[in-house]
Amino acid sequence: MRRAGRVVAEMHEVCAAATRPGVTTAEIDQVARGVLSRRGARSNFLGYHGFPAVICTSPNEVVVHGIPDDTVLVEGDVISLDCGAIIDGWHADAAITVPVGDIDDKSARLIEVTRESLDAAIDQLTVGHTLADVGGAVEAKAEAAGFEIVREYVGHGIGTAMHEAPEVPNYRTSRGRRHRIRTGLVVAIEPMLTVGSPGTEVLEDGWTVVTVDGGRAAHFEHTIAVTDDGPEVLTLP
Ligand code: MG
Ligand code: MG
């Protein structure tokens, strides 16, 4: 999973570098495909319930699961890039949100707080804590900054499949309180925060998740292993 994680980190690097005004989301997907083929990795996104690309590209009011297409990015956009890879049957999954050129202060703050909420959640992913502590860390960061948390989509266990038990909500739940974190657990934590209302709907393509009020969203995700020495983020370069 470390090897798969490094491939995903490289996808983030090259996709973020390719993200600028005038580029289409399909072109970013092509860049990601190049990394998979150079590294001998398979895609866990392509063909997943029929998904047609190796990354999800989710600009502005799109929360997650956006399909790369001929959409041209413009200065001031923000876009989330969700990437995944399989090496020798083992999966990794991670997302970043990046600015397209210069962006407004509110959007920059949204990106910053969403990244910080993931970092705070990772800090809680240690033996003796529960998944409620992980979700609670996201909740505390989002609330303090005045952003909302999307609740319809959650993080997940990951291993020989992209989505395994347990669910990892980005808020405290009673089920999470009962789930003690043990060494060997590997999860994808993925907070999604919004500027306005956190309510979402799925567009007619069956994939694209947007905010109902059209406000912007940000999404960060890492694949993290629990070790005796603490959390090990597998999707870092
Ligand atoms: Mg995920
Ligand atoms: Mg993902």
Side-chain angles (χ1 to χ4, degrees), residues 45 56 65 81-84 92-95 156 162-163 188 190 219 221:
F45 287 27
C56 299
H65 305 166
L81 306 167
D82 197 344
C83 301
D93 177 18
H156 48 91
M162 179 160 59
H163 295 133
E190 48 181 314
H219 177 211
E221 177 182 27

Side-chain angles (χ1 to χ4, degrees), residues 44-133:
N44 34 14
F45 287 27
L46 184 65
Y48 183 86
H49 297 284
F51 192 79
V54 303
I55 63 172
C56 299
T57 51
S58 305
N60 302 326
E61 79 283 2
V62 182
V63 181
V64 284
H65 305 166
I67 300 172
D69 60 11
D70 56 5
T71 301
V72 178
L73 298 179
V74 300
E75 179 100 15
D77 284 348
V78 300
I79 184 167
S80 125
L81 306 167
D82 197 344
C83 301
I86 309 171
I87 294 272
D88 291 343
W90 295 96
H91 290 241
D93 177 18
I96 53 174
T97 300
V98 296
V100 181
D102 279 331
I103 60 172
D104 64 89
D105 291 347
K106 188 84 175 179
S107 298
R109 181 77 181 132
L110 176 70
I111 289 175
E112 180 184 25
V113 170
T114 308
R115 187 196 295 111
E116 286 173 359
S117 76
L118 173 57
D119 291 342
I122 292 169
D123 285 344
Q124 293 297 314
L125 192 74
T126 58
V127 176
H129 283 143
T130 69
L131 289 182
D133 298 318

